[in-house]
Amino acid sequence: MDKFVIRGGKPLSGTVRVSGAKNATLALMPATILAPGSYTLHNTPILRDVTTMSRLLESMGSAVSRERHDLRINSAGISRFEAPYEHVKKMRASVYVLGPLLARYGQARVSLPGGCAWGPRPVNLHIDGMRKLGAAIDLEAGYIVATVKKFKGARILFDISSVGATGNVMMAAVLAKGTTVIENAAMEPEITSLAEFLTNMGAQIDGIGSSTLEIEGVDELHPVDFTTIPDRIEAGTFLIAGAVAGKQGAKIRVEECNPRHLGVVTSKLEDAGAKLEIGPDFVAIEPPDEIRPVNVTTAIYSGFPTDMQAQWIALMSLAAGTSIITESIYFDRFTHVPELSRLGANIALKKNVATVIGVKELVGAKVMSTDLRASASLILAGLAARGTTEVLRVYHIDRGYESIEKKLRDLGADITRRSGGEF
Ligand code: UD1
């Protein structure tokens, strides 16, 4: 198993380019099930989760190939309508195939995802949504077994705003008979981008980007080419790298991102004392002389993303004072806290609230990455720490950050990947 060895304390500066958004790509790829034919998804990040989704689509009969960041999918050969446990357990986003399979083929057998490192992650809203549109669904031996003759438009009010359920139901509704209204729909940029992709394919969707989506079903859709939006979480992670490990008086310029998608992350960084320059497709950051403590509460878009909470705690570990970080989306998402503590961070955790008492310095140690964003936070802490940090089990980071060690090395970090060794 690979690990990263980081010799901390090397001040970072320079330019880094953001890759395409993982979570956008993972929604676009299953949408190709909706119309047979050939698609090219430009700016697709090279990530393990994208490979997992490719394998899943191939197992159903699609042909998937890649030339650098162009992902080609031909969905004409789909003949199996199943997402087996072996794929879904690796990646929850596999459940996205449920809506498209039912909409196009009237049947689907999709494994339930089970839990993940930081608690239960239910799919009840996906299932309820499909039922409202007319699907018959049984849960059998860990699988969602679903059939429908033809979806019929319905009013669906989510009691929790869910990215995945909104995407899944939207993909189901585009081929339904009649009108579907989704209320309390997720407004995350990845969902907006999926809606735009579907519209390009011929779907009729009103209210894109808002919390109410009105979808008029059409008889058929057609394949298209599409460019994936930049990854806002990767962009935010590099900005935090600039704040926590940047070179005084120099900048890290995060390019090819969409600053509008960063929501409150940029203003929170300014609150922490970082100096930001925000352009149309870049953000440059100069680190604060002293990191100011800044409270955050995670929220749905355009609030502070839960996918940035772990990285924020890494930054606040070195703040000149105490900050309160409240996780309101996934209450248990704190597996990074004990690992950051091994590096010397002073964090008290009570339920979903982390109280971070800033320390003067972090000191390198061996730490274990437990999930994707936790890994990112450990790398950030390792970059800022004195001495050597080893981050074990970095396969988590390969799920969601393309070439992170190369990008960081280009900024001046001393980080190397070593294969084999300890678990
Ligand atoms: C997506 C992102 C993930 C991000 C999360 C929240 C992808 C592939 N993943 O995950 O990186 O952290 O959004 O921004 O895009 N919920 C239910 N029942 C359901 C579905 C969700 O109760 O059927 C709850 C969840 O437990 C959570 C909340 O809704 O508390 C939001 O989750 P959701 O937006 O669905 O997350 P994902 O789509 O799984």
Side-chain angles (χ1 to χ4, degrees):
M1 242 179 259
D2 290 2
K3 64 180 176 187
F4 282 143
V5 179
I6 304 167
R7 287 203 293 147
K10 300 264 179 319
L12 311 185
S13 62
T15 298
V16 60
R17 287 199 174 76
V18 174
S19 298
K22 169 179 88 77
N23 288 350
T25 302
L26 294 179
L28 301 179
M29 292 175 72
T32 63
I33 296 170
L34 289 164
S38 178
Y39 300 74
T40 302
L41 303 180
H42 304 289
N43 199 32
T44 299
I46 300 174
L47 298 172
R48 211 159 58 93
D49 273 7
V50 174
T51 306
T52 303
M53 185 61 87
S54 301
R55 295 289 101 84
L56 173 58
L57 295 179
E58 283 170 345
S59 77
M60 293 175 186
S62 281
V64 185
S65 63
R66 152 194 292 291
E67 211 172 290
R68 292 294 300 154
H69 295 96
D70 284 345
L71 188 75
R72 298 213 163 78
I73 301 177
N74 192 317
S75 58
I78 293 178
S79 59
R80 283 177 299 279
F81 315 117
E82 173 163 336
Y85 181 57
E86 66 192 89
H87 291 292
V88 184
K89 74 167 192 249
K90 278 193 208 143
M91 189 184 66
R92 293 186 81 261
S94 308
V95 80
Y96 266 139
V97 301
L98 178 64
L101 281 177
L102 283 172
R104 169 107 181 95
Y105 298 101
Q107 52 179 308
R109 195 167 174 271
V110 177
S111 172
L112 287 163
C116 75
W118 30 275
R121 294 182 68 185
V123 288
N124 58 308
L125 299 173
H126 301 240
I127 293 173
D128 291 351
M130 300 303 151
R131 282 198 173 123
K132 287 237 166 65
L133 293 173
I137 299 189
D138 286 321
L139 300 182
E140 282 172 18
Y143 276 77
I144 305 166
V145 180
T147 53
V148 68
K149 218 166 172 176
K150 180 153 176 86
F151 277 135
K152 286 196 189 60
R155 178 173 169 267
I156 293 165
L157 171 66
F158 288 126
D159 54 2
I160 299 172
S161 174
S162 159
V163 172
T166 302
N168 224 339
V169 169
M170 186 162 58
M171 290 190 276
V174 286
L175 287 176
K177 188 171 162 32
T179 310
T180 298
V181 177
I182 306 177
E183 291 181 58
N184 198 20
M187 295 180 285
E188 272 66 8
E190 295 74 23
I191 290 298
T192 299
S193 137
L194 172 64
E196 283 163 359
F197 181 65
L198 294 169
T199 304
N200 290 2
M201 288 173 70
Q204 287 184 21
I205 306 174
D206 273 348
I208 294 176
S210 78
S211 63
T212 303
L213 297 170
E214 192 169 322
I215 302 161
E216 191 62 46
V218 295
D219 287 339
E220 57 175 24
L221 301 168
H222 53 83
V224 290
D225 293 351
F226 198 73
T227 299
T228 304
I229 57 170
D231 197 307
R232 62 196 169 101
I233 306 301
E234 188 197 10
T237 302
F238 280 113
L239 289 174
I240 293 185
V244 78
K247 190 180 195 162
Q248 288 299 331
K251 283 181 181 163
I252 287 187
R253 192 177 151 102
V254 179
E255 282 192 344
E256 292 178 24
C257 65
N258 186 336
R260 286 188 307 280
H261 290 170
L262 287 163
V264 297
V265 172
T266 44
S267 63
K268 289 285 180 186
L269 281 164
E270 284 174 331
D271 294 347
K275 290 170 246 6
L276 263 58
E277 184 194 343
I278 301 179
D281 61 353
F282 73 89
V283 181
I285 183 163
E286 211 181 308
D289 305 331
E290 183 179 75
I291 300 166
R292 292 199 289 260
V294 178
N295 300 344
V296 304
T297 298
T298 62
I300 58 170
Y301 187 76
S302 56
F304 195 92
T306 173
D307 287 349
M308 293 288 302
Q309 176 259 105
Q311 300 89 313
W312 193 259
I313 289 188
L315 174 66
M316 287 300 111
S317 296
L318 286 164
T322 300
S323 56
I324 310 284
I325 317 299
T326 307
E327 175 55 67
S328 74
I329 309 285
Y330 293 111
F331 282 15
D332 295 340
R333 195 177 194 176
F334 286 110
T335 55
H336 42 287
V337 165
E339 301 300 313
L340 288 170
S341 303
R342 288 179 52 75
L343 298 172
N346 185 356
I347 307 165
L349 194 55
K350 202 166 184 199
K351 293 196 174 144
N352 63 326
V353 180
T355 303
V356 186
I357 302 165
V359 293
K360 286 234 150 24
E361 67 167 7
L362 298 174
V363 182
K366 264 187 201 174
V367 286
M368 181 88 80
S369 69
T370 45
D371 75 54
L372 172 55
R373 307 303 170 186
S375 314
S377 89
L378 296 176
I379 290 174
L380 293 172
L383 292 169
R386 175 166 59 81
T388 302
T389 297
E390 291 190 18
V391 183
L392 310 180
R393 294 196 180 176
V394 297
Y395 61 87
H396 290 292
I397 204 100
D398 297 331
R399 290 188 49 203
Y401 289 87
E402 180 177 328
S403 312
I404 190 166
E405 71 273 35
K406 178 169 185 317
K407 290 186 183 186
L408 286 170
R409 265 200 306 272
D410 289 348
L411 294 174
D414 185 340
I415 174 169
T416 46
R417 181 187 289 259
R418 304 252 170 89
S419 39
E422 302 163 71
F423 289 86

